[in-house]
């Protein structure tokens, strides 16, 4: 019991240090008072104490009593995108004015000290699953089915996203491929329209060229293998995944916050210009695949404060080092 209490205390200390430091900087940078915030959404998959992390923030900053406060847990690495969607809906429904979304992960409370390799990765039901190993040491297990499950989730996601963002010519090719596969089963010898990555096999569906819809890509940096699968299946260039690989190399898998480190990388490089579109794509336990699309309303100047300022000029780096 004492060890558990100490671990809970350490988890609270870790979460407080990370969240409060980020929020202090945010409020100062945006010149916003905490009492001006009407909606607060916090997501942390593995550490969910009582009172909640969102309640800790409300209490620490003495936020207003009628704030709409939400705490999302157990939703994996895609929870940051889900939090944005929830914050948007709450703003539209309540007219609260300002919303703050905090995406974090506390690792000390759920640190795995065992020896099973599949559980050494910090966060598909059963594809990403919290369980105990043979020595009853708790951790997260990553199934070998993850890539296959993720592929199905990605297909559903881009089928929904495509009509909203793609130019008409790409939509036409995509739905022509869907129609072809419906009318002619994959065993037919007649090839379907070619995919954006050049795959003309009968079994391969047409994958739209998302480079025609977006200037920048922030793909969840889960692992090198996951990024390579995404690049190959979406027909992307090395430059399109530069931000994702840099975030993985510099910070590792930071769960739901990885797509924000990647966006910060693009900003630190001075690449986001007015009118540019950014696609954030993240995967999470359950299994989930979620997207967020942003358009820059003005040119984003290189920030004076960023987690990348001391190293951004070292990237892109050799990722095999």
């Amino acid at each position: 019991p004492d060890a558990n209490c100490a671990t809970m205390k350490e988890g609270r200390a870790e979460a407080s240090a990370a969240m409060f430091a980020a929020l202090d900087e945010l409020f100062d940078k945006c010149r916003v008072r905490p009492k001006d915030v009407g909606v607060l959404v916090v997501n942390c998959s593995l550490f969910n104490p009582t009172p909640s992390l969102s309640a800790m923030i409300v209490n620490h900053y003495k936020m207003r009593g009628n704030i709409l406060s939400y705490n999302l847990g157990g939703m994996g690495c895609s929870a940051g995108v889900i939090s944005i969607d929830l914050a948007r809906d709450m703003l539209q429904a309540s007219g609260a004015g300002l919303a703050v979304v905090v995406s974090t992960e506390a690792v000390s409370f759920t640190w795995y000290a065992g020896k099973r390799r599949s559980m050494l990765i910090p966060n598909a039901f059963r594809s990403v699953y919290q369980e105990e190993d043979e020595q009853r040491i708790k951790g997260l297990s990553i199934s070998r089915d993850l890539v296959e499950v993720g592929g199905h989730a990605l297909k559903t996601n881009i089928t929904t996203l495509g009509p909203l963002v793609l130019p008409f010519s790409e939509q036409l090719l995509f739905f022509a491929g869907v129609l072809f596969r419906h009318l002619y089963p994959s065993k037919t010898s007649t090839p379907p329209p070619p995919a954006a990555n050049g795959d003309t096999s009968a079994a391969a569906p047409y994958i739209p060229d998302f480079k025609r819809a977006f200037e920048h890509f922030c793909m969840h940096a889960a692992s090198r293998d996951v990024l390579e699968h995404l690049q190959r299946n979406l027909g992307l260039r090395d430059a399109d995944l530069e931000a994702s690989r840099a975030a993985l190399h510099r910070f590792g898998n930071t769960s739901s916050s990885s797509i924000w480190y990647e966006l910060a990388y693009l900003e630190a490089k001075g690449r986001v210009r007015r009118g540019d579109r950014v696609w954030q794509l993240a995967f999470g336990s359950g299994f989930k695949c979620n997207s967020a699309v942003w358009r820059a309303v003005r040119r984003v100047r290189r920030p004076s404060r960023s987690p990348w300022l001391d190293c951004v000029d070292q990237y892109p780096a050799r990722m095999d080092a």
Side-chain angles (χ1 to χ4, degrees):
D2 292 341
N4 290 335
C5 290
T7 304
M8 179 66 75
K9 183 178 180 180
E10 291 168 359
R12 284 184 175 277
E14 178 189 355
S16 298
M19 295 189 304
F20 297 162
L23 287 168
D24 286 346
E25 183 174 326
L26 175 69
F27 292 140
D28 180 62
K29 179 180 179 180
C30 298
R31 299 179 181 178
V32 170
R33 299 181 308 163
K35 287 187 178 294
D36 294 333
V37 177
V39 176
L40 172 66
V41 182
V42 180
N43 67 266
C44 183
S45 293
L46 300 177
F47 182 58
N48 295 285
T50 302
S52 65
L53 298 180
S54 59
M56 290 166 56
I57 293 175
V58 172
N59 182 68
H60 178 79
Y61 289 100
K62 303 297 186 289
M63 291 177 162
R64 63 199 202 195
N66 63 344
I67 188 173
L68 301 176
S69 175
Y70 300 90
N71 199 96
L72 305 183
M75 305 192 76
C77 303
S78 66
V81 177
I82 298 172
S83 297
I84 291 291
D85 188 56
L86 175 59
R88 181 200 60 181
D89 290 346
M90 291 301 98
L91 285 175
Q92 291 177 343
S94 66
L98 293 176
V100 170
V101 172
V102 180
S103 294
T104 188
E105 196 61 74
V107 298
S108 62
F109 183 69
T110 55
W111 183 260
Y112 175 67
K115 298 180 180 180
R116 191 193 297 178
R117 291 178 61 86
S118 65
M119 297 177 69
L120 292 173
I121 306 174
N123 252 21
F125 200 78
R126 269 295 180 191
S127 291
V128 183
Y129 206 79
Q130 188 174 35
E131 59 183 350
E132 295 178 343
D133 67 6
E134 295 78 6
Q135 285 75 43
R136 300 185 65 82
I137 301 175
K138 186 185 297 184
L140 281 166
S141 177
I142 307 297
S143 166
R144 292 182 179 181
D145 298 330
L146 178 63
V147 173
E148 180 181 354
V149 173
H152 292 306
L154 176 62
K155 179 181 177 181
T156 301
N157 186 277
I158 64 176
T159 301
T160 304
L161 179 69
L164 303 176
V165 298
L166 290 168
F168 180 73
S169 59
E170 283 297 317
Q171 294 186 44
L172 188 62
L173 287 171
F174 177 70
F175 287 112
V178 172
L179 181 62
F180 182 93
R181 288 169 58 80
H182 178 72
L183 295 177
Y184 303 95
S186 58
K187 61 183 179 181
T188 182
S189 59
T190 307
N197 59 9
D199 192 343
T200 58
S201 65
Y206 177 79
I207 302 299
D209 185 1
F210 282 99
K211 297 187 295 294
R212 299 187 61 188
F214 306 109
E215 285 73 35
H216 309 288
F217 298 84
C218 296
M219 305 294 180
H220 169 52
S223 69
R224 181 156 50 181
D225 287 345
V226 169
L227 292 179
E228 288 176 354
H229 275 86
L230 282 173
Q231 180 175 359
R232 182 166 57 252
N233 292 334
L234 293 176
L236 300 177
R237 304 161 297 191
D238 287 343
D240 296 326
L241 267 71
E242 179 185 323
S244 299
R245 290 195 169 103
L248 182 63
H249 182 268
R250 174 67 176 85
F251 302 106
N253 181 351
T254 57
S255 190
S256 61
S257 62
S258 69
I259 56 176
W260 305 113
Y261 280 108
E262 293 160 20
L263 183 58
Y265 175 87
L266 296 172
E267 294 176 346
K269 283 286 189 181
R271 294 179 181 170
V272 182
R273 294 175 170 80
R274 180 179 180 181
D276 280 3
R277 297 155 298 179
V278 182
W279 181 17
Q280 290 181 317
L281 178 70
F283 300 90
S285 56
F287 190 85
K288 304 178 188 67
C289 179
N290 300 94
S291 291
V293 176
W294 303 90
R295 182 187 294 273
V297 296
R298 63 179 183 276
R299 180 170 183 173
V300 180
R301 301 185 182 277
R302 295 189 64 167
S304 58
R305 290 176 290 187
S306 169
W308 291 99
L309 289 186
D310 64 340
C311 61
V312 69
D313 293 332
Q314 301 173 19
Y315 291 93
R318 286 187 57 187
M319 300 305 167
D320 57 350

